[in-house]
Amino acid sequence: MEGFPKDFLWGGATAANQYEGGWNEGGKGVNTADVMTAGSITVPRRVTYRNVKTGETGSVVAFGNVQFPKDCIPAVIDGEYYPSHVASDFYHRYKEDIAYMGEMGFKAFRLSMNWARIFPNGDDAEPNKEGLKFYDAVFDECKKYGIEPLVTLSHYETPLQLTIKYGGWSNRKCIDFFENYAKTVFKHYEGKVKYWLTFNEINCMEFAPFVAGGLSDPSPQNKAQAAHNQFVASAKAVKAAHEINENIKVGQMLAYQPIYAYTCDPNDQLKVMEMMQTTLFYSDVQTGGHYPAYRLKKYKREGIVLDTEPEDFELIEKYTADFLSFSCYGSTTVTTHEDVAKSGGNFMMGVKNPYLETNAWGWATDPACLRIALNTLYDRYHKPLWIVENGIGWDDKKEEDGSIHDTYRIDYLRKNIKSMRDAVNIDGVDLMGYTMWGCIDLVSAGTGEMKKRYGFVYVDRDDLGNGTLERSKKDSFYWYKKVIETNGKDLD
Ligand code: BG6
């Protein structure tokens, strides 16, 4: 049994809107995640709004096609609870948290930069110095422990003013604002940050355009345009990064999971193929460099006409992502047969797979998923890959003595890491790293809950925002430390 390459980037991943807090501190502006309420497995998260003429307030379901009533704009409403505002309070506790990561031996820490902390309104002429200073302090702290930051420029958040003033990413002006933001931080953190990602789970535009692109009008035309604008912005970011320093690497980030057909009915296989196209369209463009024929045909059928500039396609082709990163938590099983029971999935609902276990949120844990995902993506693009999210949400219980025995998490990670090891050792996939999702407990993106915990470190906070925010190590903390120490050889 072989291990992993010697410079393999083991670590953990977080996102500002779920982890950082300090939502109105240090000159930060409001972003789209700051107007999202908490929910649960049965109650959806909502986006709150205010009518600018009457002052009346209301809300709409966040993970869906958000559309605001006439004269209403997304807004923070008094008396509502917004999990992003404090989250896990990394803003004030980054030293303690990075020390935990250092103790586990992390080689990489994926975090997202809060765009509105750098450009509070998104379209500002100058960056917010205090915001830049905060991440300087974070990256300096990482350096102390030899941890390489991997920074997502936009993880499910857009400065709220870009939604209010411009309608979000369906407006081409966002390309320029993002380019300016990317250039500013690439230059400012040159020498401190080598690895960047542009948009988290860019394909989420299909299902949740407000979350993925701050869209206030989710028509199919606008979603297609917003995706195009993000592709052009990503290409411009790659170009800018390489011009600043050729060692900077800018990756794509895709939400990916293997999709299985529930039956051998050819119609089920066709369903799998079409669902795969919906996901892979995003990597075909951003990593592959071309709009695929299946998507162009779809746009034609649906009467979608993109507003493009002549250089868009040249940029997309020339400045593809340096590497492809993705999230993968399990697999989805689908069918055209309506009598099969439904089960939950990672934003892509499927049916219950009798061979797989699910967690309390209905997510199917699949020991083979990483090997399958890695092979599919490597065969298609032949570019280095990076698993930037994988993990399991669980309502961990703290014992009287403060210990947390998360054996289910260790078991899940063991199987997943083995699967990833097979992809490297048996199949020869070029894999750069693995950052386990939510390495320190944070707010769930899907439900806004705190109790859907992923971390190696427990954070004392509940779904209503109560708790001391005190940190405690779980059993998985010690297990992962050993995994890193042995470079993935000892998974027992
Ligand atoms: C990914 C997102 O889809 O899944 C993360 O990039 C998210 O932001 C993660 O937290 C897990 O999903 P959830 O809903 O359990 O938080």
Side-chain angles (χ1 to χ4, degrees):
M1 176 263 306
E2 298 168 64
F4 287 88
K6 80 170 184 338
D7 50 358
F8 192 72
L9 292 158
W10 292 101
T14 60
N17 77 90
Q18 295 166 252
Y19 179 54
E20 190 177 279
W23 79 288
N24 59 0
E25 292 180 62
K28 177 187 160 295
V30 182
N31 66 51
T32 48
D34 294 330
V35 294
M36 276 172 64
T37 64
S40 68
I41 189 170
T42 48
V43 179
R45 299 190 74 180
R46 303 185 74 84
V47 178
T48 52
Y49 60 75
R50 171 180 287 114
N51 186 308
V52 288
K53 292 198 171 139
T54 64
E56 271 175 81
T57 60
S59 65
V60 278
V61 172
F63 280 89
N65 287 319
V66 169
Q67 184 126 45
F68 301 105
K70 190 166 175 295
D71 299 326
C72 293
I73 56 166
V76 173
I77 308 297
D78 285 348
E80 289 282 359
Y81 172 60
Y82 300 98
S84 73
H85 291 195
V86 174
S88 303
D89 198 30
F90 177 70
Y91 191 68
H92 297 109
R93 292 162 197 261
Y94 65 93
K95 287 194 178 169
E96 183 187 353
D97 285 1
I98 295 168
Y100 281 123
M101 297 175 200
E103 193 182 332
M104 277 184 277
F106 276 25
K107 312 284 180 227
F109 169 37
R110 176 179 178 224
L111 68 160
S112 74
M113 193 163 273
N114 203 319
W115 185 355
R117 197 175 282 296
I118 308 297
F119 288 97
N121 299 294
D123 61 354
D124 317 72
E126 295 300 324
N128 167 33
K129 289 205 171 65
E130 232 182 305
L132 289 170
K133 230 167 98 188
F134 169 66
Y135 294 109
D136 267 315
V138 168
F139 301 142
D140 290 345
E141 208 59 27
C142 287
K143 198 166 177 205
K144 277 192 199 163
Y145 299 92
I147 298 173
E148 195 78 62
L150 165 63
V151 183
T152 317
L153 287 164
S154 175
H155 188 127
Y156 284 175
E157 57 192 345
T158 306
L160 197 64
Q161 281 305 318
L162 294 185
T163 298
I164 296 170
K165 276 170 79 175
Y166 305 96
W169 268 98
S170 47
N171 190 320
R172 282 191 68 103
K173 287 204 172 89
C174 286
I175 300 175
D176 300 334
F177 302 141
F178 185 83
E179 188 185 7
N180 186 37
Y181 164 47
K183 278 186 178 163
T184 304
V185 295
F186 291 161
K187 276 191 206 140
H188 187 88
Y189 300 111
E190 192 193 347
K192 287 190 184 181
V193 180
K194 181 174 171 193
Y195 299 109
W196 297 86
L197 300 173
T198 49
F199 300 97
N200 181 64
E201 299 192 332
I202 187 167
N203 46 323
C204 187
M205 187 66 77
E206 296 280 332
F207 316 99
F210 179 80
V211 175
L215 265 63
S216 54
D217 175 354
S219 66
Q221 170 69 41
N222 276 352
K223 287 200 272 187
Q225 186 65 46
H228 179 78
N229 295 344
Q230 291 194 343
F231 293 141
V232 176
S234 290
K236 287 191 165 192
V238 172
K239 180 172 186 287
H242 293 177
E243 282 167 5
I244 291 165
N245 185 329
E246 61 188 17
N247 291 321
I248 302 178
K249 304 283 176 214
V250 182
Q252 165 166 20
M253 179 357 179
L254 186 73
Y256 188 84
Q257 54 186 342
I259 305 178
Y260 305 144
Y262 187 77
T263 74
C264 51
D265 178 347
N267 287 320
D268 278 9
Q269 320 312 314
L270 283 170
K271 190 177 170 82
V272 169
M273 186 193 82
E274 284 173 4
M275 285 180 73
M276 271 297 164
Q277 287 180 340
T278 305
T279 300
L280 292 171
F281 154 59
Y282 289 84
S283 40
D284 283 352
V285 181
Q286 202 183 331
T287 298
H290 299 279
Y291 265 74
Y294 57 82
R295 182 54 75 133
L296 293 174
K297 283 280 189 191
K298 176 178 154 71
Y299 285 169
K300 201 157 183 205
R301 267 194 314 275
E302 294 176 2
I304 290 172
V305 180
L306 297 176
D307 170 16
T308 61
E309 296 288 330
E311 71 270 19
D312 286 2
F313 299 98
E314 201 186 313
L315 283 166
I316 286 172
E317 188 177 345
K318 202 159 164 200
Y319 299 103
T320 52
D322 292 316
F323 61 96
L324 173 58
S325 77
F326 63 100
S327 58
C328 182
Y329 291 84
S331 54
T332 296
T333 302
V334 298
T335 184
T336 53
H337 296 251
E338 288 194 349
D339 49 332
V340 183
K342 291 256 171 199
S343 79
N346 187 7
F347 306 137
M348 293 179 226
M349 301 304 264
V351 296
K352 182 142 184 57
N353 183 330
Y355 299 97
L356 301 177
E357 287 173 5
T358 51
N359 71 356
W361 286 265
W363 288 27
T365 66
D366 178 354
C369 70
L370 292 185
R371 183 171 174 200
I372 295 171
L374 286 163
N375 273 281
T376 307
L377 295 174
Y378 194 57
D379 285 351
R380 198 166 175 114
Y381 304 112
H382 305 285
K383 286 223 176 170
L385 302 174
W386 190 336
I387 297 164
V388 293
E389 288 186 30
N390 171 252
I392 188 164
W394 211 275
D395 187 5
D396 300 320
K397 291 284 167 267
K398 197 167 173 180
E399 307 294 332
E400 295 265 297
D401 64 358
S403 57
I404 299 132
H405 304 302
D406 55 343
T407 39
Y408 35 85
R409 182 166 295 108
I410 295 174
D411 185 54
Y412 169 96
L413 293 174
R414 179 184 293 125
K415 289 176 182 153
N416 276 259
I417 293 174
K418 265 190 190 145
S419 172
M420 150 172 115
R421 196 168 66 188
D422 287 348
V424 173
N425 292 329
I426 300 175
D427 309 316
V429 166
D430 180 2
L431 182 62
M432 300 165 71
Y434 173 84
T435 51
M436 202 280 292
W437 175 251
C439 48
I440 297 193
D441 285 349
L442 40 64
V443 174
S444 156
T447 66
E449 292 167 304
M450 200 61 207
K451 72 162 181 263
K452 192 178 183 192
R453 298 171 181 277
Y454 284 87
F456 300 120
V457 174
Y458 184 94
V459 173
D460 180 27
R461 191 165 172 84
D462 69 15
D463 293 342
L464 303 171
N466 304 308
T468 61
L469 289 163
E470 197 183 272
R471 275 59 171 151
S472 326
K473 297 173 191 171
K474 304 181 194 176
D475 287 356
S476 57
F477 180 99
Y478 304 98
W479 177 83
Y480 196 52
K481 184 177 187 315
K482 187 186 62 181
V483 171
I484 300 178
E485 256 164 25
T486 61
N487 200 17
K489 282 199 171 112
D490 186 352
L491 300 178
D492 292 339

